[in-house]
Amino acid sequence: MHSLGKKKKRFSLLFLEDGEIYTRDSLGFRHHQDSYPEKRQEKGRIHICSRSIIFEPADVETPLVRYAYRDMVRIPDEIAISKTIYSYTDNNTRLCFSTNKVIELPDTRNPSSYKPIQYRSPQTVYFDFSYDLISQITAIVRDFYEKNSGHYAGFDLDSIAAATSREREEALKFDTSRIESIIEKPLLQNIEAQRIHPFMQLKGILYMTDIRMYFQPCYQVSAHPVKSVKYSEITKLYMRRWRLRNLGLEVFTTGNKSIFLAFNNEEERNKVYDKLKVVVSSSECETESSVENMMLKWQLRQISNFEYLLYLNSAAYRTFSDFTQYPVFPWILASYDSPTLDLNNPETFRDLSKPIGALNPSRLSTFWKRYNDMPEPKFLYGTHYSTPGYVIGFLFRKFPLAMLRLHSGKFDAPDRLFNDIAQDWRCVLDNPADVKELIPEFYGNDPSFLQNELNLDLGVKMNGEKVWDVKLPPWATDARDFLSKMREALESSYVSENLHNWIDLIFGYKQRGEHAAQSDNLFHPLTYEGSVDLDSVNDPLQRRAMELQINEFGQTPKQLFKIPHPPRSVQQEPQIKRQDSKLTNLWKIEAVARKKTEQAIEVSLHKKRLSSINVINDRILTTGHDGCVKVVTLEKLQKRSFTVCTLPISSSCVMNEKNIVAGCYDNKLYVFNIGNGRVSQTINAHDDAISAVEYINELSAIASVSWDAQLKIWDVRDKHALMHSFEDHEGQILCMSKNEYVISTCDKEGKVVLRDLREGIISRFDVGSRIDCVGQSKHSNHIIIGQKTLMGLYETSGVLVTQLVVAGVNCFVSDGVFVLNGQEDGQLEMWEFMKGENFHKWENIKGVTTVQADEYSGAFYAGTKDGALFIIP
């Protein structure tokens, strides 16, 4: 519910008090016999709630009125009223009560503070009902009156009211006349659910056909009696948490609209989720994505910091549909008083390695002193970094009814309202009761939450200043400029290099336990998932109290990471500078998709199998089993050929702009100078054929592996002297990959060895059969292994994360998300690894022996067994 001001109906469940139960609604009439003649009957909708009756007049000029049972001067009763020519029904009785006070409620289209009206003498009100039995309604109202006026008032009353309304809800069945087409066939029928809005829960029935999903509320409090969603419009399905229980399901449709449903138990939620996954096209709908997958995309800078934080919030069950678990974003800047914003100065930024409560050392020491003196259960901070009060405090200019609900029909005191960015920052640094983080809107593009566009009367502060728009820092010219610069700060180099520390605190291993204590990151135990089992609480009073406490304290996001989150890859200038570089990121899904329509350019090069491809500036360098190095100029596709050795060249790597290293079947390494076309040095490297070579920039060294089962490291600075030799394998080493100091080697028997050249072996494991190719994800703890018809993503410990079955795999290149796979007996294919989806096939590129991807020009390259090179620009 993100458009309270645009709802067609005037009534809102936000008018109910906290904990009040909505029980039923009826069409009927109101009149005041003491004040008006019978003809002044007013048509409207009568909402029966556990603490009040709310009348919604059909006349839009007449205000909504709330009659609280506690303000009634005598017990409501059914009395006889003679039928007249002005009567709208055939009833001879009315529901009658007298009250000393009423509250006029604002129209949802023009929010304002509630208006209490105190009568000098009791006023008698009569209600007539069009369709309901007056005797039945009277019995319900009398029961609520007695409970509100006695010792039942409070939690007990809410529980009894819930039980009363429960009887009606259980008897409710879906109205099949609401099905839009007669050809629809039922799949799931009459599943009890609640539709969750911010601060509102609407009970109803879920009904699924083979074409649509329907939600029918128990009570008509929205403009539409039934909400229907066509499966073809569904774009995302996410499991959610509701009051720290795994009961929620959020369905997103086109336009990024969402429906958040909560079910009675996890089994029913899962049944609906599984059914939706079947009827919604899997190729069109995004379901639970892999956190690892998105982490790799973020590390490789394929998605922004903003996009990654939104994803982590969603994966941790945070949702815009629920203020109690609203997405949480960090305070990034620490400078709100300076006239300019310098994003190159680290002092401009907040320390992202510490929670908000630990930024002020003096205040933190006070927190720890209180913690040490506190009995169990202990907590460092009495408030959470994300609570409904904080969220509403930021958004009340946009959603004023939410604040009116929170503060019993009034806006908060003017001096406490969110009205000054700089003052709010000082408050979270110094105020012992304020450790809040921000919300995504601070980094978005909608400034309405900062501006009083609804012309709300927010009062005057003690210094005489009228509360209106939020006061912005001096470096912001207006609200849009403020959001733009906040977003720029979020995407800055400083934040990119440090954001993983904040992720550890909110979503990661510093969220709870010993690491949380060491990081000054301890909150009330009830805020954590799994801290309490509400299903085991049988006492309704205790259960309700715990639910309210959970909501008020806030909810810590689901823990997503149990080990330190890796940092983002450092954005550096490439060592090999490219002329006419397009600077496009070919691994973005949009760029990958464009490859489908690009015409591949075929260049005939080698007489035999092409074995490796490298790119230096505007030149492509290839090697082949004909013992030659071929140089192709990209701009004009001019070719030059150089013979390096008489036996096949198996692999090559780039040392610098002038030199490459080639490994040959004659057991030697050849350092080849591109400028003069000559071999500058030959190294008798191994006792058998060389299978792979890599250049290690961090050590200025060459790594080579061979069928002699050895890994050797050669010092480039010392005439390629042997630095190290490792004999970790027994069988022929067939492939190798490197990531900074970490080398992965794989052999013919299926053994894998990961070695850090600074610290030694990281792990050894066996995958059972021959490994033909291997790759490592940048800045991650995973490797990809290719075996005949399998591609597997493994943790460095050897644990298989996921596996992809392909027609064949002879070579590949990957960013950890997409995989460009070449088959010697098949085609060139693109896969989205974690989804297991074949993204595209290049059917004209067959017999692939080597592949390469150029991250600077945005091109793919493939070499074939007949010596041809294919360029996909």
Side-chain angles (χ1 to χ4, degrees), residues 637-652:
L637 291 180
Q638 295 176 336
K639 296 181 285 186
R640 290 188 296 162
S641 179
F642 307 94
T643 300
V644 173
C645 57
T646 57
L647 292 180
I649 296 176
S650 62
S651 60
S652 65

Side-chain angles (χ1 to χ4, degrees), residues 522-536:
L522 296 173
F523 296 88
H524 194 283
L526 278 180
T527 67
Y528 295 94
E529 184 180 34
S531 60
V532 63
D533 181 10
L534 285 176
D535 292 324
S536 65

Side-chain angles (χ1 to χ4, degrees), residues 608-612 623-628 644-652 661-670 682-693 704-708 732-735 770 772 810 824 849:
K608 296 182 181 180
R609 178 190 188 96
L610 198 151
S611 58
S612 70
T623 63
H625 280 204
D626 55 6
C628 294
V644 173
C645 57
T646 57
L647 292 180
I649 296 176
S650 62
S651 60
S652 65
V661 180
C664 188
Y665 277 17
D666 63 5
N667 313 342
K668 297 176 182 178
L669 293 173
Y670 294 90
T682 302
I683 305 172
N684 293 313
H686 289 270
D687 299 323
D688 207 339
I690 294 174
S691 50
V693 294
S704 63
V705 292
S706 166
W707 293 356
D708 65 6
Q732 296 177 354
I733 301 178
L734 301 182
C735 53
R770 175 189 176 107
D772 296 297
N810 184 57
E824 186 165 352
T849 55

Side-chain angles (χ1 to χ4, degrees), residues 681-800:
Q681 187 173 357
T682 302
I683 305 172
N684 293 313
H686 289 270
D687 299 323
D688 207 339
I690 294 174
S691 50
V693 294
E694 292 279 1
Y695 182 70
I696 307 170
N697 181 64
E698 293 79 5
L699 296 176
S700 297
I702 299 167
S704 63
V705 292
S706 166
W707 293 356
D708 65 6
Q710 293 186 75
L711 162 66
K712 293 187 177 182
I713 310 298
W714 308 89
D715 191 350
V716 173
R717 296 163 297 187
D718 187 18
K719 297 181 180 180
H720 302 97
L722 180 64
M723 296 172 63
H724 299 287
S725 179
F726 305 104
E727 298 182 4
D728 301 320
H729 294 264
E730 296 177 0
Q732 296 177 354
I733 301 178
L734 301 182
C735 53
M736 167 178 60
S737 69
K738 66 99 181 177
N739 179 11
E740 297 180 344
Y741 296 95
V742 178
I743 300 289
S744 304
T745 55
C746 307
D747 66 28
K748 190 175 181 179
E749 309 300 326
K751 292 182 174 61
V752 183
V753 177
L754 273 76
R755 175 180 286 277
D756 189 317
L757 296 177
R758 301 162 300 178
E759 300 175 4
I761 288 180
I762 297 173
S763 67
R764 293 187 179 95
F765 59 94
D766 193 343
V767 298
S769 61
R770 175 189 176 107
I771 300 172
D772 296 297
C773 41
V774 63
Q776 287 182 230
S777 299
K778 294 180 181 178
H779 301 290
S780 75
N781 298 320
H782 296 84
I783 64 172
I784 303 173
I785 291 173
Q787 300 173 268
K788 197 173 181 179
T789 60
L790 295 174
M791 301 186 73
L793 180 70
Y794 291 81
E795 293 182 356
T796 55
S797 62
V799 175
L800 178 64

Side-chain angles (χ1 to χ4, degrees), residues 363-582:
R363 183 177 65 163
L364 179 62
S365 64
T366 303
F367 286 144
W368 274 113
K369 183 179 185 303
R370 183 183 64 182
Y371 176 89
N372 293 326
D373 296 337
M374 186 184 299
E376 295 292 344
K378 296 188 175 192
F379 50 87
L380 199 58
Y381 309 116
T383 58
H384 202 255
Y385 49 77
S386 177
T387 68
Y390 291 157
V391 176
I392 294 167
F394 286 135
L395 297 178
F396 74 91
R397 287 175 175 83
K398 190 174 182 181
F399 306 127
L401 286 184
M403 175 166 278
L404 293 175
R405 160 71 179 270
L406 188 67
H407 293 281
S408 302
K410 300 178 182 179
F411 293 109
D412 201 359
D415 285 276
R416 289 201 299 266
L417 290 173
F418 169 51
N419 195 50
D420 186 332
I421 301 291
Q423 181 180 336
D424 239 47
W425 171 246
R426 290 190 291 270
C427 190
V428 300
L429 288 181
D430 300 329
N431 189 336
D434 191 352
V435 293
K436 64 177 177 288
E437 294 280 9
L438 295 183
I439 55 177
E441 281 79 358
F442 279 85
Y443 304 99
N445 52 21
D446 179 7
S448 61
F449 77 103
L450 299 170
Q451 299 167 324
N452 191 11
E453 296 178 349
L454 297 175
N455 297 319
L456 304 172
D457 183 6
L458 303 175
V460 178
K461 299 169 70 173
M462 294 184 67
N463 62 5
E465 178 184 346
K466 186 176 182 180
V467 179
W468 199 253
D469 293 343
V470 174
K471 186 177 180 181
L472 304 173
W475 45 257
T477 57
D478 55 31
R480 288 195 179 277
D481 183 57
F482 170 73
L483 296 185
S484 175
K485 287 176 178 174
M486 289 286 284
R487 180 64 172 269
E488 185 181 359
L490 181 65
E491 305 300 338
S492 66
S493 297
Y494 177 88
V495 175
S496 291
E497 293 167 9
N498 293 278
L499 186 58
H500 64 283
N501 294 315
W502 186 83
I503 293 172
D504 284 335
L505 294 168
I506 307 300
F507 304 104
Y509 82 110
K510 293 181 180 179
Q511 186 195 89
R512 55 177 68 194
E514 181 182 349
H515 294 293
Q518 294 172 354
S519 305
D520 307 313
N521 197 38
L522 296 173
F523 296 88
H524 194 283
L526 278 180
T527 67
Y528 295 94
E529 184 180 34
S531 60
V532 63
D533 181 10
L534 285 176
D535 292 324
S536 65
V537 180
N538 296 321
D539 183 350
L541 178 62
Q542 183 183 2
R543 183 189 181 96
R544 175 64 180 152
M546 294 182 75
E547 287 178 348
L548 289 175
Q549 192 173 16
I550 289 170
N551 289 341
E552 290 177 6
F553 270 112
Q555 297 180 37
T556 301
K558 176 184 177 182
Q559 189 175 21
L560 300 178
F561 307 101
K562 300 295 181 66
I563 59 176
H565 191 288
R568 206 174 194 192
S569 60
V570 178
Q571 206 167 24
Q572 298 175 332
E573 290 292 325
Q575 287 188 328
I576 300 174
K577 295 182 180 180
R578 299 294 304 276
Q579 299 173 7
D580 191 30
S581 172
K582 297 179 185 177

Side-chain angles (χ1 to χ4, degrees), residues 642 659 671-681:
F642 307 94
N659 297 282
V671 180
F672 180 79
N673 187 295
I674 304 165
N676 58 28
R678 296 179 181 178
V679 174
S680 59
Q681 187 173 357

Side-chain angles (χ1 to χ4, degrees), residues 62 342 657 734 759 803 864:
T62 304
D342 183 4
E657 290 187 340
L734 301 182
E759 300 175 4
Q803 201 166 58
T864 65

Side-chain angles (χ1 to χ4, degrees), residues 232-405:
S232 59
E233 297 174 349
I234 295 177
T235 58
K236 300 175 185 176
L237 294 174
Y238 290 145
M239 290 188 181
R240 290 286 186 247
R241 191 172 62 182
W242 169 239
R243 289 178 174 166
L244 294 179
R245 302 163 69 203
N246 293 319
L247 306 177
L249 172 64
E250 191 162 17
V251 179
F252 287 85
T253 59
T254 51
N256 207 32
K257 297 178 180 178
S258 78
I259 301 173
F260 182 19
L261 299 172
F263 297 85
N264 289 336
N265 54 63
E266 190 172 352
E267 291 73 24
E268 287 190 354
R269 189 276 305 272
N270 293 345
K271 180 169 65 173
V272 174
Y273 178 76
D274 292 339
K275 185 65 69 175
L276 282 172
K277 284 200 300 183
V278 172
V279 296
V280 177
S281 172
S282 60
S283 61
E284 299 293 333
C285 178
E286 176 186 339
T287 54
E288 302 289 343
S289 300
S290 164
V291 174
E292 175 71 21
N293 188 12
M294 294 300 290
M295 181 179 72
L296 290 174
K297 285 185 177 182
W298 175 75
Q299 287 179 266
L300 299 171
R301 296 178 180 268
Q302 295 170 10
I303 58 175
S304 65
N305 291 335
F306 182 82
E307 291 171 313
Y308 188 47
L309 288 176
L310 274 184
Y311 170 78
L312 291 180
N313 273 282
S314 181
Y317 298 159
R318 312 295 286 190
T319 170
F320 290 95
S321 296
D322 183 5
F323 284 155
T324 69
Q325 44 186 349
Y326 205 77
V328 55
F329 268 56
W331 285 91
I332 291 297
L333 297 173
S335 175
Y336 297 98
D337 296 313
S338 60
T340 59
L341 186 64
D342 183 4
L343 297 181
N344 294 316
N345 182 2
E347 298 299 319
T348 301
F349 298 90
R350 163 255 183 112
D351 186 348
L352 289 167
S353 67
K354 297 178 181 179
I356 285 291
L359 293 179
N360 182 337
S362 175
R363 183 177 65 163
L364 179 62
S365 64
T366 303
F367 286 144
W368 274 113
K369 183 179 185 303
R370 183 183 64 182
Y371 176 89
N372 293 326
D373 296 337
M374 186 184 299
E376 295 292 344
K378 296 188 175 192
F379 50 87
L380 199 58
Y381 309 116
T383 58
H384 202 255
Y385 49 77
S386 177
T387 68
Y390 291 157
V391 176
I392 294 167
F394 286 135
L395 297 178
F396 74 91
R397 287 175 175 83
K398 190 174 182 181
F399 306 127
L401 286 184
M403 175 166 278
L404 293 175
R405 160 71 179 270

